[in-house]
Amino acid sequence: MSAIPYSVLDLVPVPEGSVPAESFRHSLDLARHAEQWGYHRYWLAEHHNMPGIASAATSVLIGHLAGGTSTLRLGAGGIMLPNHSPLVIAEQFGTLASLYPGRIDLGLGRAPGTDQRTMQALRRQRSGEVDDFPADVRELIRYFGDQPGAVQAVPGQGLEVPVWLLGSSLYSAQLAAAMGLPFGFASHFAPGLLLQALELYRAQFQPSARWPKPYAVVCINVVAADTEREARFLFTTLQQQFLRLYRGDAGKLPLPVQELGEEWSPRELMAMEQTLARSLVGDRDRVRHGLQALLAETGADELMFNGPIVSHEARLRSFEIAAELMQSL
């Protein structure tokens, strides 16, 4: 049993040549394996208008995976709250928490999880400004409290669903500290401010009834394989994905390649390397050393692993290796 909890972040990737229905089957299979391998929680992230990510209807998919597992915590990592009314999210997660008591988490982000045009299609006439985020979080938490208001979340009222704040900058770290909430940092795509955000969060944390002390989750990419060569090959999928995103191509998850090719500029390659700087890629020894160094550097209370790998069998193997390494630390 690992002294440090370890968890899964699943963006429900849709590889080239595949369809979302197959990705849903693979996610359920991964969740069942993760439960067996000792993973603590399994989170899904809201994205829209991205052919390579099938987790847009996040709460629906959480329910599907919760119904196919028995002990694993399921949750959102996260719901992009500016896209929604707090009441609607309270009702959705109140429903999930009623169906699966003690197993549901609600992580919240303030980004739209998409492009500007899609954001407008999602929000319609609602303002949904990110400046409303702190007030929306407080409203959402009130719906889960014991004191009924004029408007109630049914189900939701009195369930006290755990609410987390997620981010990739200093803003959410400071807000999580001020509100006495647990915090998750997205260093799988924005590692630059990781250490500064954790320092701010811990230094400014205000204890709350549910969280008397800070609790920080660090999310990273992990691509582990039985050989260094195989892991590096599998990692080219994630490298290509971010290179394409820089050019505005939010297509399906690319197949791995032996070489990245010469069509990418030095500037694009540098940006990709900075984005993926915290990724752990390699065989067991390399990933073990990376995990040990990350824990020593960050003092994380929990680690969360993202693993966008095209081959489902290779993806399962990567998460299995990561679990074995965490249990041996």
Side-chain angles (χ1 to χ4, degrees):
M1 196 65 186
S2 173
I4 302 293
Y6 52 98
S7 300
V8 175
L9 175 66
D10 184 8
L11 304 187
V12 195
V14 185
E16 293 174 347
S18 185
V19 294
E22 185 174 22
S23 298
F24 297 149
R25 290 191 291 270
H26 288 165
S27 286
L28 179 56
D29 188 49
L30 175 57
R32 287 170 170 165
H33 278 88
E35 189 169 69
Q36 296 171 8
W37 294 332
Y39 281 89
H40 182 52
R41 64 184 95 241
Y42 191 112
W43 280 2
L44 303 155
E46 177 187 350
H47 291 77
H48 299 279
N49 195 29
M50 300 188 74
I53 297 177
S55 53
T58 315
S59 58
V60 176
L61 198 50
I62 290 170
H64 174 61
L65 299 186
T69 54
S70 57
T71 59
L72 191 66
R73 292 195 69 90
L74 274 295
I79 291 293
M80 301 299 107
L81 193 55
N83 294 339
H84 309 279
S85 147
L87 175 61
V88 169
I89 298 304
E91 291 169 341
Q92 290 178 1
F93 280 79
T95 300
L96 288 168
S98 298
L99 290 169
Y100 308 103
R103 295 182 57 204
I104 301 299
D105 297 323
L106 174 52
L108 302 173
R110 65 190 284 263
T114 187
D115 57 85
Q116 291 295 317
R117 182 175 297 178
T118 308
M119 182 180 70
Q120 292 302 319
L122 282 165
R123 299 176 184 180
R124 293 294 179 176
Q125 300 303 315
R126 185 175 180 272
S127 63
E129 297 295 335
V130 294
D131 290 343
D132 298 335
F133 184 65
D136 284 349
V137 173
R138 292 186 180 92
E139 179 184 345
L140 178 51
I141 291 174
R142 282 198 301 273
Y143 287 130
F144 292 135
D146 293 323
Q147 300 299 320
V151 177
Q152 299 181 45
V154 183
Q157 192 77 46
L159 293 182
E160 296 187 352
V161 176
V163 173
W164 298 61
L165 290 190
L166 314 175
S168 58
S169 67
L170 305 183
Y171 178 92
S172 291
Q174 292 174 298
L175 183 60
M179 299 183 74
L181 296 175
F183 174 59
F185 192 87
S187 47
H188 60 296
F189 72 86
L193 293 174
L194 169 63
L195 298 180
Q196 190 176 351
L198 293 178
E199 182 180 0
L200 271 175
Y201 171 63
R202 290 167 177 148
Q204 299 181 11
F205 187 81
Q206 299 296 312
S208 60
R210 190 175 187 123
W211 298 96
K213 59 182 182 178
Y215 190 94
V217 173
V218 173
C219 184
I220 58 168
N221 300 304
V222 173
V223 179
D226 293 310
T227 68
E228 182 79 14
R229 181 176 181 179
E230 181 185 2
R232 290 290 166 188
F233 173 68
L234 297 173
F235 186 54
T236 61
T237 286
L238 190 55
Q239 291 174 311
Q240 292 178 88
Q241 183 183 41
F242 277 96
L243 285 168
R244 293 180 183 183
L245 283 172
Y246 295 138
R247 294 184 176 182
D249 177 9
K252 291 186 175 182
L253 198 67
L255 302 178
V257 293
Q258 293 297 336
E259 300 288 342
L260 287 178
E262 299 179 355
E263 67 269 29
W264 310 106
S265 71
R267 182 175 181 179
E268 289 171 326
L269 291 169
M270 182 178 296
M272 177 269 293
E273 289 170 359
Q274 291 174 344
T275 298
L276 302 178
R278 287 280 178 181
S279 301
L280 298 183
V281 183
D283 60 13
R284 297 175 65 90
D285 286 343
R286 183 175 290 274
V287 174
R288 179 189 291 109
H289 291 316
L291 291 171
Q292 291 171 333
L294 181 68
L295 287 170
E297 187 178 18
T298 65
D301 298 291
E302 183 175 334
L303 295 183
M304 183 168 283
F305 306 138
N306 178 44
I309 298 171
V310 168
S311 164
H312 182 56
E313 291 72 22
R315 192 172 185 229
L316 289 176
R317 181 59 180 148
S318 179
F319 278 104
E320 182 181 22
I321 290 172
E324 292 171 353
L325 294 175
M326 289 298 297
Q327 291 169 13
S328 69
L329 293 181

